[in-house]
Amino acid sequence: MLSAVSVRFAPLAALVALLPAAARAQDLMDLLAKGPVVLVQNNDQGRFDRATAVVEIAAPPAKVWEVVSNFSNYRYFMPKVLKSEQRLSGPEFPNQLDVAYEIDVPLSNAKYTFHYQLDPDKLQIRGKWLKGDLEGSFCEWRLVPYQGRTLAYYTTASRNFSSLAQRLEDSQQTITIGVNVSAALATVKAIKKRVEGLLPAAAGKP
């Protein structure tokens, strides 16, 4: 597993700090050559706060943005997503939209709606729970250009995803961390595969 995915338990700032210094940026790129990197951030009480996955995609940020921001197509390639219906929040709210999801979950599918704020200039998307299951959850996309490619960062905090899981949870929050790390990893891998699969064969080469 670790040969394909590098998992680090550290503050979110640790990933950001890797980029400015050339040597440390190279350390990150060496890890990403083996697969996505996933970090877990805790809150001030030492409890799980969010998971962030970063993956290198062989495409410029504009191409990645087209896929990441088209939520209505998620149902065609994102694991477990059965429905992703996208609609504008209203003409008075540019670059804001709501997306209704249905996720394949054993026993009872999860159905919820997220509200997203898109910032095309900064290549960032922030999403938060609006209604339905997973109350209190949120996510964020951030795309960073790197030598003609893209480092895609996806942050997620899935909350209240299962009453059964909450009853079975241990003091180390094994289930919560596992669910969030798995979700972050599956999401960035699906985006990478989708983007690179839509490019001409030669476009994925350095």
Side-chain angles (χ1 to χ4, degrees), residues 13 40 42 44 57 73-74 94 115 122 131 142 163 171 200 206:
V40 170
N42 290 333
D44 294 339
I57 301 177
N73 278 345
Y74 276 25
H115 175 74
K122 293 183 178 180
K131 61 181 179 180
R142 185 167 62 88
S163 57
S171 60

Side-chain angles (χ1 to χ4, degrees), residues 48-67:
F48 171 82
D49 185 57
R50 65 194 68 187
T52 297
V54 57
V55 68
E56 181 186 12
I57 301 177
K63 291 294 184 182
V64 181
W65 179 264
E66 290 177 5
V67 174

Side-chain angles (χ1 to χ4, degrees), residues 58-80:
K63 291 294 184 182
V64 181
W65 179 264
E66 290 177 5
V67 174
V68 167
S69 62
N70 191 349
F71 297 98
S72 60
N73 278 345
Y74 276 25
R75 64 185 183 274
Y76 299 124
F77 68 91
M78 196 67 71
K80 303 294 185 180

Side-chain angles (χ1 to χ4, degrees), residues 78-126:
M78 196 67 71
K80 303 294 185 180
V81 176
L82 302 177
K83 183 181 79 170
S84 54
E85 295 181 352
Q86 174 179 315
R87 63 180 182 275
L88 295 176
S89 295
E92 69 275 24
F93 300 111
N95 293 324
Q96 296 192 40
L97 51 86
D98 299 333
V99 181
Y101 292 100
E102 181 175 354
I103 308 298
D104 183 14
V105 177
L107 301 180
S108 179
N109 291 345
K111 299 178 181 180
Y112 58 91
T113 299
F114 256 47
H115 175 74
Y116 291 95
Q117 294 182 312
L118 286 69
D119 190 333
D121 295 328
K122 293 183 178 180
L123 297 174
Q124 294 182 356
I125 300 174
R126 294 180 178 177

